[in-house]
């Protein structure tokens, strides 16, 4: 299962490149008002499909048992939804005086606001053998993005409710009736969400490439890539230091969950969110670019670090057992 999930993620990263390339070749197909009618099929149907799918696949019983690790989840939520976005905001104040594209910088702030994905963070945590940290998607995102959006807050909230909350709840209700069938057949939830997400990415970039006034310089793109990798490495190191202090109270397995879940960001939630919050914004695709870079970067970086972190955790757990007094 782990190999299949990794293959799916590799396929998805290739799919992102293909979707953007297809949008570049023929943007008229996916623009607002075009044959695909993304103002309806994407803004409502596609987003609702992703979260209905999430509702079907979300195991409520696992969420309930995860609440036992209250201190762990409080740390992850505080770091992810307070420290991370606040630090990025302070960093962007320094970068605002540079020549980096301002919309890419706004995109960096949106990355800071995103919650961690259940998928990649949990998979990497399982690969090491740590505990799973599940973080509830926050409304904090709107606090950071609201001032940059031309869409009224009430419209954003109502669309989020109808296309995110309602499908998620319906998915959970349906799951209760067909739980045994789902467990037996194991439908490809991940592949369905990834395919729909690629459609959203495609239409987003169709709007960009159809606008001759939008230009993305390579210098800004390279700098953003460097900044994203640096931020990920720095925050992973920071969470490691915080969670391994003598009086932290976290086990080595908890530290693994903290490293991955506190620093990873959700593309599945992020792109639909940006599509709603920045509806009709001509620079939406540029704002989305940092998140599109962050997603594959976090998977590749995490995969490289898994053996090292696993070796550290095993050695620490052995050390704890050796120092335990015998009865």
């Amino acid at each position: 299962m782990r190999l299949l999930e990794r293959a799916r993620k590799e396929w998805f990263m290739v799919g992102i490149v293909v979707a953007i390339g297809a949008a570049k070749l023929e943007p008229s197909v996916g623009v607002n008002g075009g044959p695909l009618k993304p103002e309806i099929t994407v803004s409502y149907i596609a987003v609702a499909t992703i979260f209905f799918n999430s509702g079907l696949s979300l195991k409520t019983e696992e969420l309930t048992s995860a609440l036992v690790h209250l201190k762990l989840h409080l740390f992850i939520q505080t770091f992810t939804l307070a420290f991370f976005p606040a630090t990025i905001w302070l960093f962007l104040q320094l970068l605002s005086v540079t020549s980096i594209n301002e919309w890419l910088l706004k995109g960096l702030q949106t990355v800071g606001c995103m919650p961690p994905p259940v998928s990649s963070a949990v998979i990497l945590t399982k690969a090491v053998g740590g505990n799973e940290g599940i973080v509830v998607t926050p409304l904090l995102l709107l606090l950071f993005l609201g001032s940059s959006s031309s869409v009224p807050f009430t419209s954003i909230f109502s669309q989020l409710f109808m296309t995110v909350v309602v499908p998620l709840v319906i998915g959970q209700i349906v799951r209760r009736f067909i739980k045994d069938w789902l467990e037996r057949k194991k439908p490809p939830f991940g592949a369905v969400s990834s395919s729909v997400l690629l459609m959203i990415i495609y239409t987003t970039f169709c709007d960009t490439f159809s606008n001759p006034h939008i230009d993305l310089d390579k210098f800004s793109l390279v700098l953003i890539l460097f900044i994203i990798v640096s931020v990920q490495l720095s925050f992973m190191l920071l969470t490691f230091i915080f969670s391994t202090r003598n009086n932290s109270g976290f086990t080595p397995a908890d530290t693994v969950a903290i490293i991955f879940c506190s620093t990873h960001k959700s593309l599945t939630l992020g792109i639909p969110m940006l599509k709603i919050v920045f509806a009709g914004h001509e620079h939406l695709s540029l704002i989305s670019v940092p998140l599109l870079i962050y997603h594959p970067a976090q998977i590749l970086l995490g995969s490289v670090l898994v053996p090292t972190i696993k070796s550290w955790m095993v050695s620490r757990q052995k050390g704890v057992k050796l120092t335990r007094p015998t009865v």
Side-chain angles (χ1 to χ4, degrees):
M1 287 299 289
R2 192 180 300 160
L3 290 175
L4 287 175
E5 186 64 27
R6 185 176 298 175
R8 184 183 69 80
K9 287 187 174 295
E10 290 174 356
W11 167 83
F12 179 66
M13 287 188 280
V14 173
I16 291 176
V17 176
V18 172
I20 295 174
K24 176 69 173 177
L25 289 174
E26 192 55 60
S28 61
V29 176
V31 295
N32 282 337
L36 287 182
K37 299 293 181 185
E39 61 274 16
I40 298 173
T41 57
V42 170
S43 298
Y44 294 94
I45 299 175
V47 176
T49 299
I50 286 177
F51 289 100
F52 174 74
N53 190 56
S54 296
L56 279 178
S57 61
L58 194 62
K59 297 181 179 180
T60 313
E61 58 274 16
E62 290 186 1
L63 291 177
T64 304
S65 63
L67 291 177
V68 174
H69 304 287
L70 184 60
K71 183 179 179 180
L72 173 67
H73 297 307
L74 285 176
F75 182 95
I76 292 172
Q77 290 196 52
T78 302
F79 190 94
T80 306
L81 307 177
F83 182 83
F84 201 126
T87 303
I88 292 295
W89 182 84
L90 290 172
F91 184 46
L92 291 182
Q93 304 313 301
L94 299 176
L95 293 179
S96 62
V97 299
T98 67
S99 59
I100 300 177
N101 186 291
E102 65 170 311
W103 298 106
L104 290 180
L105 293 181
K106 287 182 184 293
L108 272 179
Q109 183 64 72
T110 67
V111 170
C113 295
M114 296 297 164
V118 172
S119 56
S120 65
V122 168
I123 288 162
L124 289 169
T125 301
K126 280 182 175 177
V128 177
N131 295 333
E132 297 179 19
I134 300 174
V135 183
V136 178
T137 303
L139 288 177
L140 182 64
L141 180 65
L142 293 179
L143 295 177
F144 279 88
L145 301 183
S147 60
S148 301
S149 174
S150 57
V151 182
F153 178 82
T154 52
S155 298
I156 293 173
F157 182 80
S158 61
Q159 189 169 349
L160 283 175
F161 182 77
M162 292 304 298
T163 59
V164 176
V165 179
V166 172
L168 192 66
V169 171
I170 293 175
Q172 279 285 278
I173 293 172
V174 173
R175 178 180 173 80
R176 288 179 177 272
F177 292 98
I178 60 172
K179 179 182 174 182
D180 292 337
W181 181 85
L182 292 173
E183 294 293 333
R184 189 170 62 254
K185 295 295 184 180
K186 299 187 183 302
F189 293 116
V192 171
S193 291
S194 295
S195 300
V196 176
L197 193 56
L198 287 176
M199 178 184 174
I200 297 175
I201 293 170
Y202 167 71
T203 57
T204 298
F205 278 85
C206 280
D207 284 332
T208 297
F209 293 130
S210 64
N211 188 339
H213 303 296
I214 294 180
D215 183 38
L216 177 59
D217 60 289
K218 294 179 180 178
F219 174 73
S220 293
L221 198 58
V222 170
L223 280 180
I224 289 294
L225 176 59
F226 175 76
I227 290 168
I228 284 173
V229 174
S230 300
V231 165
Q232 287 191 38
L233 284 172
S234 300
F235 280 4
M236 289 179 85
L237 178 61
L238 201 57
T239 54
F240 177 79
I241 293 172
F242 282 163
S243 59
T244 53
R245 291 176 302 168
N246 291 331
N247 59 347
S248 69
F250 293 120
T251 66
D254 290 336
T255 296
V256 172
I258 287 170
I259 290 173
F260 288 127
C261 295
S262 297
T263 58
H264 280 208
K265 296 295 182 177
S266 174
L267 183 68
T268 305
L269 173 67
I271 293 298
M273 276 280 197
L274 294 181
K275 194 78 174 177
I276 294 171
V277 174
F278 291 95
H281 202 296
E282 64 175 352
H283 294 100
L284 171 60
S285 61
L286 295 186
I287 295 171
S288 306
V289 165
L291 186 57
L292 291 173
I293 295 174
Y294 198 99
H295 178 75
Q298 71 188 7
I299 295 172
L300 293 174
L301 191 60
S303 299
V304 169
L305 292 175
V306 158
T308 303
I309 295 176
K310 183 173 185 177
S311 177
W312 168 84
M313 191 188 76
V314 170
S315 64
R316 283 295 298 268
Q317 288 177 332
K318 286 182 179 177
V320 170
K321 289 178 182 177
L322 288 174
T323 56
R324 250 182 219 160
T326 56
V327 180

